[in-house]
Amino acid sequence: MTFQEQIQQGIPSQLPEIKHYETSINHAPKRKDILGEEEKKLAIKNALRYFEPHLHADLLPEFRQELDDYGRIYMYRFRPDYEMKARPITDYPGKSEQAKAIMLMIQNNLDYAVAQHPHELITYGGNGAVFSNWAQYLLTMKYLSEMTDEQTLVMYSGHPMGLFPSHKDAPRVVVTNGMMIPNYSKPDDWEKFNALGVTQYGQMTAGSYMYIGPQGIVHGTTITVLNAFRKINKEPKGGIFVTSGLGGMSGAQPKAGNIAGCITICAEVNPKITKIRHDQKWINEVYENLDTLVERVKEAQQNKETVSLAYLGNVVEVWEEFADKKVKIDIGSDQTSLHNPWAGGYYPVGQSFEESNTMMADNPELFKDKVQESLRRHAEAINRHTEQGTYFFDYGNAFLLEASRAGANVMAENPTLGREFKYPSYVQDIMGPMCFDYGFGPFRWVCTSGKPEDLKTTDDIACKVLEEIQKNSPEDIQQQMKDNIQWIKGAQENKLVVGSQARILYADAEGRMKIAEAFNKAIKNGEIGSVVLGRDHHDVSGTDSPYRETSNIYDGSRFTADMAIHNVIGDSFRGATWVSIHNGGGVGWGEVINGGFGMLLDGSEEADRKLKSMLFWDVNNGISRRSWARNEGAIFAIKRAMEAEPNLKVTLPNLVDESLL
């Protein structure tokens, strides 16, 4: 069968050959055995409903074995034989160009070069899934190949509920992931209901098909590192940045450190992902011995090198060793997946990667104790450094939250509302006041032709647009404009593409609309093929996350999720090609609500109309909320937006004289 025929076939009526478990692939850890015997029967029954009855007798024992061996039913047998990668949009079968673009993005999220655990359909973060099993993938791709622009595909946490009649201005796909009743959003609830096959963790951009590899976070991390050094009034050259994690999101840190110009030390316990990042040249050197690492760091300091060093081992050892050897860390953070602490997101110090994976599945209570013990040690080592002047910030991965739950010494001596912890979230100190409040966030695009020359053209267009905007930009946002122009000019030479021909930069509403408008014009003129627009959920408006995206909201509303819900509803009727809303992305199940979109630009007048309507809302919804919280930069930004658009009328806060209080 051709690739197109396999897509159109969907779930085969005859059993394909059994797929052998490939040990060379980076696999998800075994999940805890959380289901009772009756629940296991239900999980198998749920899985079998995707298949015709004559296949059930053969598949039942196979699915039971997967459930016993891995804690989930992935349906490995149904993994496609074709190469999983984003193809040019013309390679996909279908009646709708928008649907073809979504197929392209789904495959990009599962590309072996992009996905963390591709055979388990997990893109990043340890549990951020595009689908829960391969039947869902096959059926979704089949539906997309059949849909017209008068239909909408409805996705229930990885499950394609079906194609429904709609209209051409409606989203082609509406995605929800993990939208639980609030009292059922504890970590074990995810384990249970995911094992039953009725919900999944979409992370931020995995389950919304908008992940573009580590590049998606490189830019934000670069800005964070640059501004962290600015905050301590130090040049990055010769400065030391210590962190951990080389996975889907965290793998961006060494590359970002190199772009910023510092010495980056990033610890990772998983040898496979460490090798992948080294092979991709996202890290320069790998070390397994602490003494050798210390000597190399001192040499790099002396020579003021720009270099990224991976330590294959636990980051707690690095913090402790550097404290003992008096190695001064300038800035520090952590990007292990502590939103998922008991299932592979964080590995305890003092035992091997393999021992941890075994304990995680076979003795989860002991594993939890070991993780919490490690977190206490981790925090204590960080405290030793900060007492000597290190600037430490939480990278929004729930490090401080989980450390506090473990009883670590991370709470502020004099806590205030929104500043409970000893150390700030990076959004509180850096990204919130410097970027999000002004509307700057991670705007991204993908060239559906798959041609590197199209990406180069879009880079040039974006740079030209930003330089033109900068000429008349107010002083308040000049630094943001300079950083982004510098970024886009260096994007090609930094070889950031992994998977699809994609790019990201931080832009405000004006920048996003003008860049998108210029792309659409270039498509119409035949200069480039069609382009998919999107953004990270980690943005101005899309995410309500009290310990990350909205951690610099101090009016008491940071635990509300109205903004994210309004955002996705507003995007859906203003022209998005697809929309998504998730529970749990980035910081943990039950800790955040986050939403995103995708939009296909095809050179048409309809696309031009939609991009102007939707992108303006997508940013200014968040600025208005931040303004109402009395954030100074957001008040400035929303007033500027109202001047530019007479139809925008936002409720502004009246500020209270503090002395009256």
Side-chain angles (χ1 to χ4, degrees), residues 400 404 408-413 420-422:
L400 290 176
S404 71
N409 179 15
V410 294
M411 305 309 293
E413 287 185 16
E420 302 92 340
F421 297 117
K422 183 179 290 193

Side-chain angles (χ1 to χ4, degrees), residues 178 180 184-187 189-190 199-201 583-584 588-591:
M180 306 298 292
Y184 301 88
S185 272
K186 298 179 181 68
D189 291 325
W190 172 72
T199 193
Q200 72 172 16
Y201 195 96
N583 163 26
W589 193 251
E591 302 285 359

Side-chain angles (χ1 to χ4, degrees), residues 237-284:
K237 278 286 182 190
I240 292 180
F241 170 39
V242 169
T243 186
S244 63
L246 286 172
M249 293 284 281
S250 52
Q253 295 175 108
K255 173 69 89 171
N258 281 0
I259 295 170
C262 63
I263 301 161
T264 305
I265 299 95
C266 191
E268 169 60 60
V269 296
N270 185 337
K272 284 182 182 175
I273 197 65
T274 303
K275 183 179 186 304
I276 287 169
R277 295 293 174 241
H278 190 238
D279 289 347
Q280 290 174 341
K281 303 191 188 314
W282 286 68
I283 51 178
N284 299 127

Side-chain angles (χ1 to χ4, degrees), residues 121-283:
L121 302 114
I122 289 170
T123 303
Y124 69 99
N127 56 1
V130 188
F131 302 99
S132 293
N133 58 59
W134 285 102
Q136 292 177 347
Y137 166 84
L138 294 172
L139 189 53
T140 299
M141 296 294 277
K142 174 179 167 64
Y143 277 139
L144 289 168
S145 74
E146 296 171 346
M147 79 165 4
T148 70
D149 287 341
E150 300 288 333
Q151 291 172 302
T152 293
L153 175 61
V154 178
M155 300 295 300
Y156 273 55
S157 288
H159 168 65
M161 189 60 72
L163 292 170
F164 289 80
S166 60
H167 55 84
K168 64 183 180 63
D169 285 336
R172 295 283 68 76
V173 180
V174 175
V175 180
T176 57
N177 280 299
M179 297 304 290
M180 306 298 292
I181 303 299
N183 279 350
Y184 301 88
S185 272
K186 298 179 181 68
D188 272 356
D189 291 325
W190 172 72
E191 294 281 0
K192 177 181 176 179
F193 293 110
N194 188 229
L196 285 172
V198 295
T199 193
Q200 72 172 16
Y201 195 96
Q203 248 293 348
M204 300 193 91
T205 51
S208 57
Y209 326 141
M210 192 42 73
Y211 189 68
I212 58 169
Q215 180 190 175
I217 194 65
V218 169
H219 184 224
T221 307
T222 301
I223 290 175
T224 301
V225 171
L226 281 171
N227 284 318
F229 276 107
R230 286 170 185 155
K231 197 162 183 63
I232 62 172
N233 296 312
K234 179 166 183 175
E235 281 289 315
K237 278 286 182 190
I240 292 180
F241 170 39
V242 169
T243 186
S244 63
L246 286 172
M249 293 284 281
S250 52
Q253 295 175 108
K255 173 69 89 171
N258 281 0
I259 295 170
C262 63
I263 301 161
T264 305
I265 299 95
C266 191
E268 169 60 60
V269 296
N270 185 337
K272 284 182 182 175
I273 197 65
T274 303
K275 183 179 186 304
I276 287 169
R277 295 293 174 241
H278 190 238
D279 289 347
Q280 290 174 341
K281 303 191 188 314
W282 286 68
I283 51 178

Side-chain angles (χ1 to χ4, degrees), residues 447 453-455 457-458 461 518-520 522-531:
C447 297
E453 54 267 35
D454 274 14
L455 184 60
T457 301
T458 59
I461 291 171
F519 287 172
N520 202 51
I523 296 164
K524 181 181 179 181
N525 294 339
E527 298 167 38
I528 54 174
S530 60
V531 171

Side-chain angles (χ1 to χ4, degrees), residues 308-440:
S308 55
L309 313 173
Y311 173 62
L312 183 53
N314 199 291
V315 72
V316 178
E317 298 169 335
V318 176
W319 283 101
E320 290 177 341
E321 183 75 6
F322 281 23
D324 292 342
K325 297 287 175 63
K326 303 290 189 291
V327 177
K328 171 69 187 303
I329 297 171
D330 295 292
I331 63 172
S333 193
D334 182 86
Q335 217 179 116
T336 47
S337 298
L338 270 158
H339 67 276
N340 180 31
W342 324 126
Y346 182 94
Y347 283 78
V349 67
Q351 54 193 61
S352 72
F353 182 60
E354 293 75 17
E355 289 168 343
S356 291
N357 281 330
T358 301
M359 186 187 295
M360 191 190 308
D362 298 344
N363 195 343
E365 288 307 311
L366 179 60
F367 182 76
K368 181 175 180 178
D369 289 344
K370 292 287 186 185
V371 165
Q372 292 194 318
E373 178 188 326
S374 187
L375 281 167
R376 290 191 291 272
R377 252 177 85 176
H378 195 162
E380 188 54 42
I382 289 167
N383 291 341
R384 288 173 66 187
H385 282 275
T386 58
E387 286 165 6
Q388 303 302 314
T390 297
Y391 173 59
F392 182 85
F393 54 91
D394 185 295
Y395 217 127
N397 62 335
F399 172 73
L400 290 176
L401 185 62
E402 287 302 332
S404 71
R405 290 169 175 168
N409 179 15
V410 294
M411 305 309 293
E413 287 185 16
N414 299 299
T416 59
L417 190 62
R419 288 276 184 170
E420 302 92 340
F421 297 117
K422 183 179 290 193
Y423 306 113
S425 151
Y426 76 115
V427 173
Q428 287 179 312
D429 270 14
I430 298 170
M431 301 307 285
M434 296 180 184
C435 293
F436 293 167
D437 284 354
Y438 290 98
F440 285 84

Side-chain angles (χ1 to χ4, degrees), residues 101-118:
I102 297 167
M103 284 192 271
L104 182 159
M105 295 302 294
I106 286 172
Q107 288 205 303
N108 186 62
N109 276 240
L110 294 171
D111 186 325
Y112 283 23
V114 173
Q116 184 181 14
H117 306 307

